Amino acid sequence: MEPLPESSDRNSWTEPGIYEVSAGVYRIPLPLPNDALRAVNVYAVTDGEKLVLVDSGWALTVAREQLANALGGIGAELADVSEFLVTHVHRDHYSQAVVLRREFGSKIALGQDEEPSLKASGNPDRLPMEAQIDLLFQAGAGEVVEALARDFGTDRRHTEADLWEAPDEWLTPGRRPILPGREFDVVATPGHTAGHVVFVDETADLLFSGDHVLPHITPSIGFQPVPAELPLNDFIDSLRLVRAMPDRRMLPAHGPVSESVHTRVDELLEHHRQRLETIGSQITAGASTAFEAAHRIGWTRRNRKLSEMDSFNQTLAVLETAAHLDLLVSQGKLAVQAVDGIRHYTTT
């Protein structure tokens, strides 16, 4: 398999292979299990001697095979990966790095502020989605909790706890050597997760955006093992931080490479401005909880109803609604009061 030229086609970016993005930088899409995202992009950065990967993919046999085949296109093997630079601690970005480290001894680097969530995920006695279930109850979404139990069971064992081993290095903001003569700037961009980071290659004018900025979808907000107080506020601040930086080519975790990160950041900021207005208006119209407000608005580009979605995506939708409502409370535009553990919102 030889490296292929990069394409901006939004429909073909998931095709297996290795695609040359820039000198010494290659995009490798890897499959995901039963996931609407379809694939995750891993980026190989090499000088012909040393090989570093940005993100790693999900720990699946088929993903490992496709990664090995793709690296063969640049004359490399899995054992040649010296380290994984991971944008955030979600399975599709982190878990394969852990498995490959055990076998080949490669290093893993992860944002410092992911440590609390990593420890929570690695606790074998912790109920999967334990924090989210608590937040769903607060959002008045007991029905969604029941649906999750039906779909995923109630066993308290966390079957993937062993995939959440600590990294070799906790990344902090600043410039970091990647290859001899090549450095990345590590930029903290909390929001999607508390410790999400992006990597800036200033010399090549590239931004490895992880899930912070995606070309065709908005990343989930409010879904992490240790929830942030105002995750949407963090996300918007991080978008503005990236917008204040020079514009660069965007190398996202999901979707094709895009020529301008600024263009997409502007779209995301406008999306959440409109979403805040839409969700706040549901409280004005009589909704009281995040669950009720989520029922009244459309989801995804297809404008689907909450009731038409599976239990996991209902969870994402309700938690995102709650994140918007809580930001409106912090801005003084709404008030909130807990009654029997359920958060009820009113206009001020």
Side-chain angles (χ1 to χ4, degrees), residues 100-119:
L100 294 178
R101 178 176 64 177
R102 293 172 186 166
E103 186 170 349
F104 300 112
S106 46
K107 305 298 184 182
I108 302 175
L110 179 69
Q112 174 70 63
D113 290 338
E114 294 290 57
E115 186 171 9
S117 285
L118 186 72
K119 287 182 176 179

Side-chain angles (χ1 to χ4, degrees), residues 108-173:
I108 302 175
L110 179 69
Q112 174 70 63
D113 290 338
E114 294 290 57
E115 186 171 9
S117 285
L118 186 72
K119 287 182 176 179
S121 296
N123 181 353
D125 297 322
R126 184 182 178 89
L127 177 69
M129 293 198 289
E130 184 174 295
Q132 286 69 44
I133 287 172
D134 183 53
L135 291 174
L136 287 171
F137 278 123
Q138 292 181 43
E143 294 176 26
V144 178
V145 176
E146 293 173 2
L148 286 172
R150 289 194 301 270
D151 293 343
F152 298 101
T154 57
D155 195 329
R156 294 191 63 85
R157 292 175 299 173
H158 200 310
T159 57
E160 294 184 341
D162 63 333
L163 292 178
W164 303 110
E165 295 175 358
D168 300 279
E169 176 187 353
W170 292 109
L171 294 170
T172 55

Side-chain angles (χ1 to χ4, degrees), residues 16-55:
I18 182 165
Y19 301 85
E20 188 170 17
V21 174
S22 181
V25 180
Y26 302 86
R27 183 179 67 85
I28 303 172
L30 298 178
L32 300 176
N34 303 318
D35 195 305
L37 293 175
R38 299 169 59 203
V40 60
N41 290 321
V42 170
Y43 294 93
V45 185
T46 182
D47 60 0
E49 297 291 333
K50 186 178 180 183
L51 174 64
V52 172
L53 297 190
V54 176
D55 289 329

Side-chain angles (χ1 to χ4, degrees), residues 4-336:
L4 300 167
E6 182 56 67
S7 168
S8 60
D9 188 339
R10 66 178 290 169
N11 297 315
S12 64
W13 71 272
T14 63
E15 290 298 317
I18 182 165
Y19 301 85
E20 188 170 17
V21 174
S22 181
V25 180
Y26 302 86
R27 183 179 67 85
I28 303 172
L30 298 178
L32 300 176
N34 303 318
D35 195 305
L37 293 175
R38 299 169 59 203
V40 60
N41 290 321
V42 170
Y43 294 93
V45 185
T46 182
D47 60 0
E49 297 291 333
K50 186 178 180 183
L51 174 64
V52 172
L53 297 190
V54 176
D55 289 329
S56 71
W58 196 305
L60 304 168
T61 299
V62 64
R64 176 193 173 109
E65 291 172 350
Q66 288 190 18
L67 179 58
N69 289 338
L71 290 177
I74 55 173
E77 301 177 350
L78 293 175
D80 295 325
V81 179
S82 61
E83 67 176 346
F84 295 92
L85 302 175
V86 182
T87 57
H88 63 292
V89 68
H90 280 166
R91 286 185 188 87
D92 54 330
H93 298 258
Y94 193 75
S95 60
Q96 185 155 244
V98 172
V99 172
L100 294 178
R101 178 176 64 177
R102 293 172 186 166
E103 186 170 349
F104 300 112
S106 46
K107 305 298 184 182
I108 302 175
L110 179 69
Q112 174 70 63
D113 290 338
E114 294 290 57
E115 186 171 9
S117 285
L118 186 72
K119 287 182 176 179
S121 296
N123 181 353
D125 297 322
R126 184 182 178 89
L127 177 69
M129 293 198 289
E130 184 174 295
Q132 286 69 44
I133 287 172
D134 183 53
L135 291 174
L136 287 171
F137 278 123
Q138 292 181 43
E143 294 176 26
V144 178
V145 176
E146 293 173 2
L148 286 172
R150 289 194 301 270
D151 293 343
F152 298 101
T154 57
D155 195 329
R156 294 191 63 85
R157 292 175 299 173
H158 200 310
T159 57
E160 294 184 341
D162 63 333
L163 292 178
W164 303 110
E165 295 175 358
D168 300 279
E169 176 187 353
W170 292 109
L171 294 170
T172 55
R175 187 153 292 188
R176 182 188 188 279
I178 304 300
L179 304 173
R182 190 166 201 160
E183 297 179 321
F184 285 177
D185 286 323
V186 179
V187 181
T189 51
H192 178 57
T193 67
H196 193 291
V197 296
V198 301
F199 301 106
V200 175
D201 185 338
E202 186 175 290
T203 302
D205 249 3
L206 303 175
L207 186 141
F208 299 83
S209 64
D211 281 6
H212 178 54
V213 188
L214 299 171
H216 302 308
I217 60 174
T218 59
S220 61
I221 303 296
F223 188 87
Q224 49 190 333
V226 180
E229 183 178 356
L230 290 172
L232 181 59
N233 188 67
D234 295 340
F235 180 62
I236 290 173
D237 283 349
S238 296
L239 287 176
R240 290 172 175 157
L241 174 65
V242 170
R243 186 61 174 83
M245 296 160 52
D247 199 9
R248 295 185 171 93
R249 287 186 82 195
M250 181 176 78
L251 279 55
H254 307 283
V257 170
S258 301
E259 293 306 311
S260 169
V261 68
H262 281 184
T263 298
R264 184 54 179 159
V265 167
D266 288 343
E267 292 172 351
L268 288 170
L269 287 169
E270 175 60 16
H271 166 80
H272 283 289
R273 185 197 67 77
Q274 294 180 8
R275 207 63 168 163
L276 283 164
E277 187 176 288
T278 298
I279 291 174
S281 69
Q282 307 313 311
I283 304 302
T284 304
S288 175
T289 65
F291 183 55
E292 291 173 0
H295 262 295
R296 295 177 176 221
I297 59 178
W299 294 96
T300 76
R301 294 190 304 272
R302 299 178 180 85
N303 206 37
R304 297 172 64 193
K305 295 179 180 179
L306 188 72
S307 59
E308 297 172 341
M309 300 163 70
D310 62 73
S311 60
F312 180 75
N313 281 293
Q314 285 183 355
T315 299
L316 295 180
V318 171
L319 296 184
E320 186 158 325
T321 303
H324 283 78
L325 290 171
D326 288 340
L327 180 53
L328 289 169
V329 170
S330 76
Q331 294 173 346
K333 298 175 181 178
L334 294 178
V336 64

